[in-house]
Amino acid sequence: MAVISRSDIDFLLHDWLDAGRLAQLPRFAGQDREDWGRYLDLAHAMAEREFLPCWKTSDRQEPWMENGEVRVEPALAAAVRLWLEAGLHLADVAPEEGGMGLPFTVATAGMAGLMAANVAGSAFVMLSCANARLICAFGTPAQVAAFARPQHAGRALGTMCLSEPEAGSSLGDITTRARAAGRDDLGARYRISGAKMWISAGDQDITGQIVHLVLAKVVREDGTLPEGSRGISLFMVPKILPDGSRNDISVTGLNHKMGYRGTPNCAMAFGEREGATGWLVGQEGQGLAQMFQMMNEARINVGLSGAAMACRGHFLSTAYACERRQGRAQGRKGQGRPVPIVAHPDIRRMLLAQRAIAEGALALCLKSAMLADLSHAAQTQAERDSAAEMLALLTPVTKSWPSEQGLAALSMGIQIHGGYGYTRDFDLEQLYRDSRLNPIHEGTTGIQALDLLGRKVLGDGGAAFGRFLALVRREAKGEGFAEEAATLSRTADALEELVARLAGWPAERALGNATGFLEAFGHFVLGWVWLSMARAAARTGPAALAEAKGWTCRYFFAAEMPRIPAMMALLTGAPDLTSAAPETLFAG
Ligand SMILES: Cc1cc2nc3c(=O)[nH]c(=O)nc-3n(C[C@H](O)[C@H](O)[C@H](O)COP(=O)(O)OP(=O)(O)OC[C@H]3O[C@@H](n4cnc5c(N)ncnc54)[C@H](O)[C@@H]3O)c2cc1C
């Protein structure tokens, strides 16, 4: 069974997003649907042939340490090496940098297959692609040659080292220190020391070299560290130094996770001896701003993995529901053979709900990827700015909606499997465990909510939000699915009214229930996605696809859109209920 539907991806890329217009842009000139199709064929085939078979084995055999080095389950390590040898990590790297130069949208569609098959395996690749891209964006030519090219060549993998034991959501509080230590061909050199926590692929035996991107603060002359996030700088800290010696970096322990077990997750010490050698990227104090390029890419990828795993969970649930016989149809108690459980309306409800989540989330992630392409490659500055603005607004939703809802879809998958779903003999339980990370890493759902409401919606006085509402209202005016379109328009009005009210409140009060806003806005965005997908499928066919998209769209509007007022209930009805709750309630 395929882990992801190629026909759905083709529909999303070509009929819904009209990604073919990217090939009209100078950056992608000369490419066509066939080129993209060949890459997708290979990526998805490799995901299923090489990564799927070691999905369970690498869950059972977690990474382990031997003589201070981390080992990865051998079949998974071999699969990652094959991906790199085939050059699939170069899909969206520019040709002048040795890559295929495909749009990020197409590369993202390829990654969806890898994530559905083996999310832990995909993490090595995803982190490295984003790491090398950041170095290419902000590094000097010498830094690119030393630290990005080896990743392009498949000889090195990359990490992101942000979190510390005492600083996760609040990166402004990190205490990793950097002391200036001269200059060389690679730029300003520093000695880095400090503890990093939760570092994915912080060590591994897949590649000899690892390029760590480390956030740290440059020590002032009086020995103190600058306060807050403006004091953060970014450093490239390789495992192996240019002279071939080992850098002063060690893994102090592995975290034993609930899922996602194939990827080592490391507690790390930088500079326990003389200080780890690192080179500054860009300017001092620009670290967090630069790192946001990698974090934003990773956020789309986290959402994508939630979507991809929900898609695979939906296929498995559908297959099971069609095979498993239990009970009789309503009104036929005790008569004839048991029916496949798919005959029961409650099972169909869950299958529809799963599909609405899985396909809707995948569509949203591809939409965001397309906005990322347009924000760089569209022909006019106005088009690039407009895409960048919309991407910024949608990124917290793209990260959190598939993460949270994908988990709900997998929980329904376990329910559809009944008792069997709760066992390790079936795949749903591991998909659920693997997915549980998504609402946590790359900024928790609570942090995404603050970003959305505080920065992206209220931060610019509602300007970007207003332009997005105008776009949705234009879609609502289109033909077909009139009832759903009317619901979408009414929801736009309600959200607009709410934002106008919140804009008049002190920030602290407005942000007190930001998660409710994120949930409501997320459902609204998905309503827009579903309406436009159903209309596109009705236009382009085939009939079976039009029926499937149309039915799922109607389900989403009938069952999910009515939940939006409840999601906003605290904001509209009792905004101070949580913040004003007396401390004594939580005295423990
Ligand atoms: C498996 C795994 C892999 C990871 N990989 C990496 C990696 O490769 N590199 C890396 O740097 N990090 C990585 N992380 C770290 C991850 O990004 C952090 O766990 C995450 O950002 C949350 O930080 P924390 O764990 O310190 O939780 P905390 O920041 O302590 O948060 C605890 C809770 O408090 C809430 N909270 C915190 N502050 C606020 C606030 N201001 N307002 C409202 N609520 C708030 C959070 O939403 C959360 O629910 C990984 C984590 C895990 C579990």
Side-chain angles (χ1 to χ4, degrees):
M1 182 192 304
V3 291
I4 199 106
S5 162
R6 178 59 189 279
S7 60
D8 195 37
I9 283 186
D10 283 346
F11 162 75
L12 292 173
L13 288 180
H14 302 295
D15 300 320
W16 183 58
L17 283 173
D18 189 18
R21 68 200 146 104
L22 290 173
Q24 317 296 319
L25 301 173
R27 175 165 314 179
F28 308 115
Q31 298 181 14
D32 59 26
R33 188 173 171 154
E34 276 66 43
D35 297 328
W36 298 353
R38 275 192 294 277
Y39 159 74
L40 290 176
D41 287 345
L42 182 60
H44 291 181
M46 259 197 141
E48 283 168 29
R49 215 173 45 226
E50 309 297 337
F51 284 81
L52 189 57
C54 57
W55 177 61
K56 282 203 166 191
T57 50
S58 55
D59 179 63
R60 295 209 177 109
Q61 176 162 16
E62 288 181 77
W64 70 100
M65 288 188 71
E66 244 173 59
N67 304 321
E69 309 272 328
V70 175
R71 305 276 177 246
V72 173
E73 195 266 325
L76 179 59
V80 176
R81 279 191 210 106
L82 274 176
W83 186 274
L84 300 176
E85 277 163 26
L88 288 168
H89 62 303
L90 298 171
D92 57 342
V93 173
E96 58 274 19
E97 288 163 7
M100 298 181 212
L102 303 181
F104 180 58
T105 315
V106 177
T108 300
M111 283 300 280
L114 182 56
M115 289 167 168
N118 190 329
V119 73
S122 78
F124 295 100
V125 178
M126 185 274 277
L127 283 163
S128 204
C129 290
N131 174 309
R133 205 182 329 273
L134 186 151
I135 295 172
C136 287
F138 299 109
T140 63
Q143 291 175 338
V144 170
F147 301 120
R149 293 281 180 260
Q151 297 191 65
H152 290 159
R155 294 195 305 274
L157 286 169
T159 71
M160 56 197 300
C161 302
L162 287 58
S163 307
E164 298 181 359
E166 302 305 327
S169 301
S170 178
L171 290 172
D173 295 327
I174 62 167
T175 59
T176 296
R177 308 161 78 82
R179 282 183 189 280
R183 289 190 74 84
D184 58 25
D185 296 350
L186 295 174
R189 203 176 50 227
Y190 289 76
R191 294 280 186 203
I192 315 282
S193 55
K196 290 289 176 184
M197 183 60 172
W198 304 118
I199 305 309
S200 296
D203 192 32
Q204 37 80 7
D205 55 352
I206 300 172
T207 53
Q209 176 64 302
I210 301 175
V211 179
H212 301 288
L213 281 173
V214 179
L215 290 184
K217 292 182 172 179
V218 177
V219 182
R220 289 192 285 231
E221 277 182 9
D222 65 0
T224 61
L225 294 179
E227 295 212 338
S229 52
R230 280 170 208 269
I232 297 177
S233 303
L234 177 63
F235 301 89
M236 293 160 299
V237 189
K239 175 175 175 178
I240 308 291
L241 289 165
D243 66 4
S245 63
R246 286 290 295 263
N247 208 347
D248 183 5
I249 305 169
S250 57
V251 175
T252 50
L254 288 174
N255 295 310
H256 300 288
K257 293 169 289 170
M258 169 181 179
Y260 232 106
R261 288 187 179 153
T263 327
N265 189 269
C266 307
M268 304 188 67
F270 286 81
E272 274 189 321
R273 297 186 305 274
E274 70 278 12
T277 302
W279 286 269
L280 180 70
V281 185
Q283 304 294 315
E284 278 185 21
Q286 293 296 308
L288 197 56
Q290 291 165 336
M291 196 38 125
F292 258 106
Q293 175 185 307
M294 185 168 180
M295 279 153 76
N296 283 333
E297 182 173 336
R299 283 173 179 178
I300 296 176
N301 275 305
V302 169
L304 182 71
S305 74
M309 286 188 273
C311 285
R312 180 167 156 214
H314 175 59
F315 298 154
L316 292 167
S317 304
T318 308
Y320 186 84
C322 291
E323 272 171 23
R324 169 75 175 167
R325 288 179 172 271
Q326 197 71 196
R328 311 291 185 286
Q330 285 295 329
R332 297 182 58 86
K333 212 165 178 202
Q335 296 172 33
R337 277 186 78 196
V339 294
I341 57 172
V342 72
H344 301 308
D346 192 51
I347 294 289
R348 293 179 180 210
R349 171 188 65 79
M350 289 191 275
L351 290 173
L352 274 170
Q354 279 188 322
R355 178 180 285 198
I357 292 169
E359 294 181 8
L362 182 62
L364 175 63
C365 294
L366 291 179
K367 172 88 192 164
S368 291
M370 177 106 171
L371 289 169
D373 277 323
L374 291 172
S375 72
H376 298 300
Q379 261 173 326
T380 67
Q381 188 62 44
E383 287 171 301
R384 291 195 289 277
D385 290 348
S386 157
E389 179 184 81
M390 189 152 148
L391 177 62
L393 181 71
L394 291 183
T395 295
V397 179
T398 306
K399 196 276 175 181
S400 58
W401 200 90
S403 296
E404 296 282 356
Q405 298 295 321
L407 204 53
L410 291 170
S411 179
M412 280 184 259
I414 293 175
Q415 200 68 16
I416 290 166
H417 281 68
Y420 297 99
Y422 195 59
T423 69
R424 279 192 239 162
D425 299 330
F426 287 78
D427 291 347
L428 264 297
E429 69 85 29
Q430 189 184 335
L431 283 171
Y432 184 84
R433 286 188 289 106
D434 284 352
S435 286
R436 186 60 188 88
L437 176 60
N438 287 335
I440 299 171
H441 66 161
E442 294 306 335
T444 60
T445 300
I447 296 301
Q448 301 303 320
L450 292 173
D451 179 44
L452 174 69
L453 185 55
R455 241 190 270 166
K456 310 286 172 59
V457 172
L458 298 176
D460 68 355
F465 174 72
R467 280 188 278 277
F468 179 68
L469 287 190
L471 189 90
V472 174
R473 285 177 172 132
R474 265 204 303 283
E475 176 66 51
K477 286 200 181 112
E479 275 188 22
F481 295 88
E483 224 175 281
E484 287 74 17
T487 302
L488 195 64
S489 287
R490 278 196 305 276
T491 312
D493 296 345
L495 280 167
E496 190 172 42
E497 199 181 303
L498 175 64
V499 166
R501 184 138 35 108
L502 295 180
W505 291 357
E508 219 177 270
R509 186 172 194 224
L511 296 180
N513 295 291
T515 301
F517 183 81
L518 173 69
E519 287 173 352
F521 183 65
H523 259 53
F524 170 67
V525 169
L526 265 292
W528 166 64
V529 166
W530 266 111
L531 179 63
S532 68
M533 273 205 296
R535 284 174 171 170
R539 270 196 312 275
T540 61
L545 178 89
E547 185 180 36
K549 293 289 183 202
W551 209 284
T552 315
C553 173
R554 284 197 294 280
Y555 173 83
F556 190 80
F557 274 84
E560 292 295 322
M561 293 296 279
R563 294 178 52 212
I564 290 179
M567 293 167 175
M568 303 194 300
L570 275 182
L571 280 156
T572 51
D576 306 316
L577 192 68
T578 49
S579 57
E583 299 253 328
T584 46
L585 283 186
F586 313 111

